[in-house]
């Protein structure tokens, strides 16, 4: 898993949502959500924007990996 995967799971659970709920909210398949949460793939940019807005976080906060922050 990667930083995005962990953040997505955490944000989803904080809202009390199941993976199935994300499929409806972001008009994607169950397989897509599963791949995002296991670190096998990432959403496209428009979907990332929708997620950031829905979860009320910045796009940077959603995708940034703090492990590499000191190298920026």
């Amino acid at each position: 898993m990667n930083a995005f995967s962990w953040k997505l799971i955490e944000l989803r659970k904080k809202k009390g949502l199941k993976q199935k709920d994300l499929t409806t909210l972001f008009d994607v398949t169950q397989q897509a959500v599963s791949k995002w949460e296991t670190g096998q793939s990432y959403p496209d940019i428009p979907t990332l924007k929708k997620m950031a807005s829905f979860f009320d976080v910045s796009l940077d906060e959603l995708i940034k990996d703090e492990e590499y922050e000191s190298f920026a």
Side-chain angles (χ1 to χ4, degrees), residues 1-51:
M1 289 177 51
N2 54 46
F4 170 76
S5 300
W6 286 109
K7 287 176 190 171
L8 179 58
I9 292 168
E10 177 185 4
L11 291 167
R12 175 176 62 78
K13 288 183 177 181
K14 278 184 181 178
K15 287 218 179 235
L17 301 172
K18 298 191 180 299
Q19 284 186 347
K20 178 76 172 151
D21 298 320
L22 297 186
T23 67
T24 304
L25 286 166
F26 303 117
D27 194 27
V28 296
T29 65
Q30 176 71 35
Q31 292 81 10
V33 175
S34 178
K35 286 182 177 182
W36 299 340
E37 290 195 355
T38 58
Q40 296 175 26
S41 70
Y42 290 91
D44 59 20
I45 300 235
T47 304
L48 284 170
K49 287 179 174 181
K50 288 178 191 175
M51 289 178 160

Side-chain angles (χ1 to χ4, degrees), residues 50-69:
K50 288 178 191 175
M51 289 178 160
S53 177
F54 176 78
F55 289 116
D56 196 27
V57 296
S58 70
L59 190 54
D60 189 50
E61 184 179 347
L62 184 61
I63 63 173
K64 193 171 189 177
D65 187 349
E66 290 84 18
E67 180 178 341
Y68 299 104
E69 188 175 316

